[in-house]
Structures are given as structure tokens and as C-alpha cells.
Amino acid sequence: MSRPPNWRPTLPFPEPVNTGQTPCPKNRGRVDVQRQKAGRGGKTVTVVSGFIVLVSRKEKLARLMQKACGTGGTVKEGRIEIQGDKRQEVASILVEAGFRPVFTGG
């Protein structure tokens, strides 16, 4: 079964519902997205760090990124690591989830 060219799985968790007591945050904060190669045997990895969310949500977001990029990945030490240079794809997913991705590093 083939997928449309712009296919992306839906977000694993909905935006917070505004109950009227506190304003609903449209921006969940800054998240750093960088490409790393050092110490990985020459392999490139996209690292997303700076999250202030629960570990379970990080794992759901990591699975979503893996499916959208078609690669493997993991959550280590509070960071999401996706195999390959997938900064643009990861950034677009983060924007949809309400984060503000910032490309860091060289």
C-alpha cells in the first residue's frame, strides 16, 4: 500500500484543552535540534534536546518522528535521537506539536 507523498502520522497527543482557568499555551518552549557525528563511528544522528515534558510524551514523539522519517531512533538521557540527518523533518513535526525548534551547532 502506497502513501501520499506528504503523508505524516497524526500527533500522538492532543493539544491541552483550555478549561478557562489557565490560558492554553500555543508555544511549548524552545527545543534544540542538531546534527551530531562525533563518537558515533562516523554515523550521523539528529539530536533533539531541551524538552520540558514527561518522558512518556518524549517516547511518543520519538516514535512519531521515527515513522515520519522512516528511520530508527531512541530516547536517551532526556534527548530524542533519530538516525540520519533528518533536521527538517523533525523540525516540522515539532512545530506541529507546538514547540519552537531551533537549529544549533555547526
Side-chain angles (χ1 to χ4, degrees), residues 1-102:
M1 174 166 77
S2 65
R3 296 178 178 153
N6 294 333
W7 178 84
R8 180 172 299 136
T10 58
L11 290 174
F13 45 91
E15 290 295 318
V17 177
N18 192 357
T19 59
Q21 297 172 0
T22 59
C24 189
K26 292 184 180 179
N27 187 351
R28 294 184 179 191
R30 173 188 164 146
V31 177
D32 298 329
V33 179
Q34 67 182 137
R35 180 180 59 93
Q36 289 183 353
K37 251 176 119 170
R40 300 182 188 276
K43 309 258 188 221
T44 303
V45 175
T46 302
V47 179
V48 184
S49 60
F51 282 101
I52 305 177
V53 293
L54 298 173
V55 174
S56 62
R57 290 208 173 177
K58 284 182 194 177
E59 290 171 352
K60 289 180 183 178
L61 199 54
R63 281 194 298 271
L64 176 71
M65 290 177 188
Q66 291 171 23
K67 285 181 185 178
C69 296
T71 62
T74 186
V75 177
K76 282 186 183 173
E77 301 172 2
R79 302 174 305 190
I80 296 176
E81 297 181 359
I82 302 295
Q83 295 175 354
D85 186 4
K86 304 290 183 182
R87 290 177 287 181
Q88 294 298 325
E89 294 92 335
V90 167
S92 65
I93 292 169
L94 289 170
V95 168
E96 287 180 18
F99 294 98
R100 186 171 49 97
V102 175

